[in-house]
Amino acid sequence: MPRFPWPPLVVAAALAAAWLLSPARLGDAATLALPGEAWTRGAGLALVALALAVEATAVRGLLARGTTFLPHREARALVTGGLHGFSRNPIYVAHVTLVLGCALALRSGAGACAAAATLVLLDRLAVRPEEAFLSARFGADYEAYRARVPRWLGLRRSA
């Protein structure tokens, strides 16, 4: 279990990179080569709204089961329903979606790279240590859940 809250720091750094290296600050050379500025900004803002809604819903689901959503605190319950039935890490999916949405809204090429880096860093610094902890804490129940539900995103698998 990570003792340091990496996810909010990773996301903050990625969002800062998306903004600092955006076309608004650096000019057209930093612009994502996508058609239609209004479409790109609208799609980005829609992704931001979706990410915030997913995160809020996932946090509510964890709190309803009496466990924490803080990445550096130990889980007290195994949550497998709601959004956790589609992804073992819906909050981290929301984090990556948030960075990607901001990158699109800002038309920031560096921000798109930051979204990919966010996925890799969250996987290495948070997801893998959390999964090891959950496996040790919840044993066979976690392993059955893990076999049924993908790490990042997907449809429910049959039992």
Side-chain angles (χ1 to χ4, degrees), residues 12-22 108 110-111 114:
L15 292 172
W19 181 73
L20 289 170
L21 301 173
S22 71
S108 173

Side-chain angles (χ1 to χ4, degrees), residues 6-49:
W6 286 112
L9 296 176
V10 168
V11 172
L15 292 172
W19 181 73
L20 289 170
L21 301 173
S22 71
R25 296 187 43 81
L26 300 179
D28 289 340
T31 301
L32 276 173
L34 294 172
E37 183 174 344
W39 178 90
T40 305
R41 288 189 195 281
L45 293 174
L47 283 177
V48 168

Side-chain angles (χ1 to χ4, degrees), residues 41-108:
R41 288 189 195 281
L45 293 174
L47 283 177
V48 168
L50 176 64
L52 294 174
V54 165
E55 185 152 356
T57 302
V59 166
R60 276 195 310 271
L62 292 170
L63 294 175
R65 290 288 317 269
T67 194
T68 185
F69 64 91
L70 298 174
H72 60 292
R73 300 285 167 90
E74 292 184 357
R76 293 182 298 276
L78 182 60
V79 178
T80 62
L83 292 178
H84 287 86
F86 297 97
S87 168
R88 295 194 309 263
N89 300 288
I91 293 174
Y92 297 148
V93 170
H95 288 346
V96 174
T97 304
L98 175 69
V99 175
L100 182 60
C102 286
L104 284 173
L106 293 167
R107 299 178 55 83
S108 173

